[in-house]
Amino acid sequence: MENNNKNLMEVNNIPVKELIKSAIEARKKAYAPYSNYLVGAAVLTNELRIYTGCNIENAAYTPSICAERTAVNKAVSEGCRKLKAIAIVGGPKDGLTDQYAFPCGVCRQVLREFADSNQFIVIVAKNENDYKLYRLNELLPESFGPENLNY
Ligand code: THU
């Protein structure tokens, strides 16, 4: 399967580079003294607003939250429940990252709640010029979502 399909960008009219830039900026705010793994994320809403987030760890560990969910929670708490895309930039401390940071399973499920899985674009980026694009349904196939509870 061709995952690094930059044409998806044109199909969906997603401002890929702007989202990546926003995620890189958000990553600078990551609070990750325990893992030293810093993540930034930027979600694009249907209204074309961008909300950013970073991972925020906790000494008690379990209250820690991923960058993706910080960003989604910010969007939803501002009234934006329909999301189109997310850019994620993550890696160990010290400047630029040389890895693609994929969203964890919990974050994939949270994105699913506020996305059309067949359309939603996940961008994992090392920098503005080096990234991969996926549809959410590739990363979370055969998923469970709000429609299952419409009875
Ligand atoms: N992390 C994220 O922010 N997003 C992910 O999708 C994977 C993991 C964070 C959580 C924790 O603060 C650190 O990265 C190491 O797991």
Side-chain angles (χ1 to χ4, degrees):
M1 193 183 304
E2 178 55 71
N3 281 324
N4 197 5
N5 180 2
K6 295 195 172 155
N7 290 329
L8 285 177
M9 173 174 68
E10 282 131 41
V11 171
N12 290 279
N13 208 14
I14 304 292
V16 172
K17 284 181 198 291
E18 193 184 345
L19 282 176
I20 295 171
K21 263 194 222 166
S22 303
I24 290 170
E25 277 309 299
R27 183 168 176 253
K28 294 177 183 165
K29 307 260 173 41
Y31 175 70
Y34 307 108
S35 72
N36 284 322
Y37 190 89
L38 310 180
V39 187
V43 290
L44 181 71
T45 73
N46 261 21
E47 303 86 354
L48 304 182
R49 291 196 192 115
I50 292 176
Y51 289 92
T52 61
C54 60
N55 55 331
I56 305 171
E57 297 185 348
N58 189 282
Y61 287 24
T62 54
S64 301
I65 187 164
C66 294
E68 297 91 322
R69 276 177 290 144
T70 303
V72 170
N73 290 346
K74 282 169 68 177
V76 173
S77 64
E78 294 295 328
C80 299
R81 295 182 179 174
K82 294 215 184 310
L83 307 179
K84 289 165 81 76
I86 189 168
I88 306 161
V89 179
K93 232 172 199 152
D94 282 329
L96 293 175
T97 176
D98 69 346
Q99 61 176 259
Y100 299 112
F102 284 84
C104 78
V106 172
C107 288
R108 292 177 197 205
Q109 184 66 38
V110 168
L111 290 168
R112 166 73 173 84
E113 186 74 20
F114 301 107
D116 172 350
S117 249
N118 302 316
Q119 296 296 324
F120 188 90
I121 302 293
V122 177
I123 304 154
V124 290
K126 293 182 184 177
N127 58 59
E128 276 168 68
N129 301 310
D130 185 347
Y131 57 85
K132 296 186 190 191
L133 303 179
Y134 299 82
R135 301 267 187 195
L136 182 59
N137 63 5
E138 292 179 78
L139 301 182
L140 192 71
E142 306 293 350
S143 62
F144 185 87
E147 306 79 29
N148 294 101
L149 300 178
N150 282 338
Y151 50 79

